[in-house]
């Protein structure tokens, strides 16, 4: 949205002026940055890929890199870029046509990024990721090594979801979430989400009065915010951007949500859009993986005492378990469920579900010596 979409004085331009907040200062000074670019910023239903807009975005990324930052680009637009060549009038709804459009569009998108950055003598490396690459630890490490090596070789990594093979059950859902996961994967100091909106509002500015929110320091700043779903070309929307921003901020990465047309300012001073402050202490790689990236393989049902112990960051013992759901193996991630059915934590389980079924509800001294270790150690637990 342009600033004129919202009545003065509550406009993006006015509200972010002046001395930068700590979050904006951190984003402006970040050494390693992930920049996510939405479909609407790169493509149109009638014309497909807009190379002029893409060039302007590449210009902004190049300027940030010349200023001394490492930048990873997460680029949406593969399906949108494939619509025009395949003579599709609207974004397809069925999976096979989406994958067909992505197979055409990914080639065009990668070529366009490569051509654009070649103006500066830079090489582009395309990295296609699936949700499985984050849920499995070994895949996770492989993706991390690939991205690190591309940067060390001076190439620009352009990341997208592997839409040509992803199914509805295993996909990220949108590239906003992918960008947040990549930000943690590469140890980014900032995440910049660029799309067709100027920042976060407490409602939809296109449907009437809405207030712009320049800073999100915690959940209290989100009270009353109503976020919508995606548009004609993308799967995201404000709801996915808000979710991704909170995910990244939870991992210790400050986030800037801004319009793609403001990319040059967003990637220099950060004096546009909405800034999300990061949590003071970054989650460890393992705990972030447990909380946000790993697939849950089952559930462990807790009594009230075990819920309280887990909340105090104590290890989970068999005595506090009242039931199990699903089939899982030692080393899998499982949800921990309170009596009111709320998921209160996740953790890496020590036992198979078949072993655990004969253990729960029993004190440690009642168990054989081989089963007296915690069901989930405190170091492998993370609240949700």
């Amino acid at each position: 949205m342009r600033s004129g979409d919202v009545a003065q004085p509550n406009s993006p331009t006015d509200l972010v002026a002046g001395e930068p907040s700590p979050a904006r200062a951190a984003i402006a000074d970040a050494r390693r940055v992930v920049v996510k670019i939405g479909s609407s910023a790169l493509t149109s239903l009638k014309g497909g890929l807009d190379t002029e807009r893409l060039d302007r975005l590449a210009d902004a990324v190049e300027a940030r890199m010349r200023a001394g930052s490492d930048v990873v680009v997460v680029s949406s637009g593969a399906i949108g870029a494939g619509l025009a060549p395949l003579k599709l009038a609207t974004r397809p709804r069925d999976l096979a046509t989406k994958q067909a459009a992505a197979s055409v569009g990914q080639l065009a998108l990668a070529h366009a990024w490569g051509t654009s950055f070649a103006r500066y003598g830079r090489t582009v490396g395309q990295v296609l990721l699936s949700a499985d690459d984050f849920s499995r630890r070994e895949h996770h490490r492989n993706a991390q090594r690939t991205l690190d090596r591309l940067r060390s070789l001076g190439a620009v990594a352009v990341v997208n979801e592997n839409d040509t093979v992803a199914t509805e059950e295993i996909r990220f859902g949108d590239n906003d979430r992918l960008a947040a996961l990549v930000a943690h994967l590469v140890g980014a100091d900032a995440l910049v989400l660029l799309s067709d909106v100027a920042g976060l509002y407490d409602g939809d500015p296109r449907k009437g009065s809405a207030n712009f929110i320049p800073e999100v320091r915690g959940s209290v700043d989100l009270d009353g915010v109503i976020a919508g779903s995606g548009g004609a070309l993308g799967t995201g929307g404000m709801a996915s951007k808000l979710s991704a921003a909170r995910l990244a901020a939870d991992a210790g990465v400050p986030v800037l949500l801004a319009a793609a047309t403001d990319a040059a300012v967003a990637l220099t001073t950060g004096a546009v859009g909405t800034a999300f402050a990061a949590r003071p202490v970054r989650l460890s790689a393992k705990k972030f993986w447990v909380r946000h990236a790993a697939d849950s393989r089952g559930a462990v049902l807790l009594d009230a005492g075990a819920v309280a112990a887990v909340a105090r960051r104590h290890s989970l013992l068999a005595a506090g378990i009242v039931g199990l759901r699903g089939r899982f193996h030692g080393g899998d991630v499982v949800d921990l469920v309170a009596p009111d059915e709320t998921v209160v934590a996740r953790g890496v389980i020590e036992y198979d579900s078949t072993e655990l079924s004969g253990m729960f509800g029993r004190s440690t001294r009642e168990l054989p010596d081989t089963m007296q270790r915690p069901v989930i150690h405190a170091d492998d637990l993370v609240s949700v």
Side-chain angles (χ1 to χ4, degrees), residues 64-309:
R64 181 65 185 241
M65 291 190 291
R66 290 194 178 190
S69 295
D70 291 332
V71 180
V72 173
V73 175
V74 176
S75 175
S76 296
I79 294 177
L83 299 184
L86 292 174
K87 297 180 173 56
L88 297 172
T90 60
R91 183 182 175 91
R93 295 181 180 275
D94 65 288
L95 182 60
T97 309
K98 287 180 184 177
Q99 291 175 329
S103 70
V104 173
Q106 279 175 352
L107 185 63
L109 190 63
H111 177 74
W113 280 116
T115 300
S116 192
F117 277 109
R119 296 175 298 147
Y120 299 106
R122 293 195 185 270
T123 298
V124 165
Q126 185 184 47
V127 180
L128 299 178
L129 298 175
S130 68
D132 201 44
D133 294 319
F134 286 89
S135 64
R136 297 179 184 272
R137 291 298 300 278
E138 186 57 35
H139 292 202
H140 186 273
R141 287 192 289 268
N142 287 340
Q144 185 180 49
R145 285 193 290 265
T146 299
L147 289 166
D148 285 344
R149 189 61 179 140
L150 279 170
R151 289 202 317 277
S152 71
L153 292 169
V156 182
V158 176
V159 180
N160 197 353
E161 181 169 9
N162 195 355
D163 290 306
T164 59
V165 297
T167 65
E168 296 298 339
E169 289 75 23
I170 64 171
R171 61 181 295 116
F172 294 101
D174 55 75
N175 274 352
D176 297 311
R177 176 175 170 79
L178 170 60
L181 292 172
V182 169
H184 188 271
L185 182 72
V186 302
D189 303 305
L191 169 62
V192 178
L193 301 174
L194 300 175
S195 66
D196 59 351
V197 294
L200 178 66
Y201 294 82
D202 60 5
D204 188 343
R206 297 167 300 183
K207 297 180 179 179
S209 178
N211 294 309
F212 176 71
I213 302 172
E215 301 280 337
V216 177
R217 300 173 183 85
S219 58
V220 67
D221 294 324
L222 298 173
D223 289 347
V225 172
I226 300 173
S229 58
L233 287 166
T235 59
M238 187 53 66
S240 74
K241 291 169 181 57
L242 180 56
S243 176
R246 298 185 73 182
L247 189 159
D250 182 52
V253 181
V255 181
L256 184 67
L257 172 59
T261 52
D262 292 329
V265 179
L267 291 175
T268 51
T269 64
V272 289
T274 300
F276 292 77
R279 62 178 286 159
V281 180
R282 185 185 290 245
L283 285 175
S284 70
K286 184 173 184 180
K287 289 200 171 185
F288 181 88
W289 176 76
V290 170
R291 178 183 286 181
H292 295 297
D295 289 335
S296 174
R297 302 296 181 181
V300 176
L301 312 183
L302 310 183
D303 63 22
V307 171

Side-chain angles (χ1 to χ4, degrees), residues 50-67:
D50 188 325
T51 56
E52 289 186 6
R53 280 190 281 174
L54 186 145
D55 283 346
R56 287 194 293 271
L57 290 162
D59 293 341
V61 171
E62 172 65 20
R64 181 65 185 241
M65 291 190 291
R66 290 194 178 190

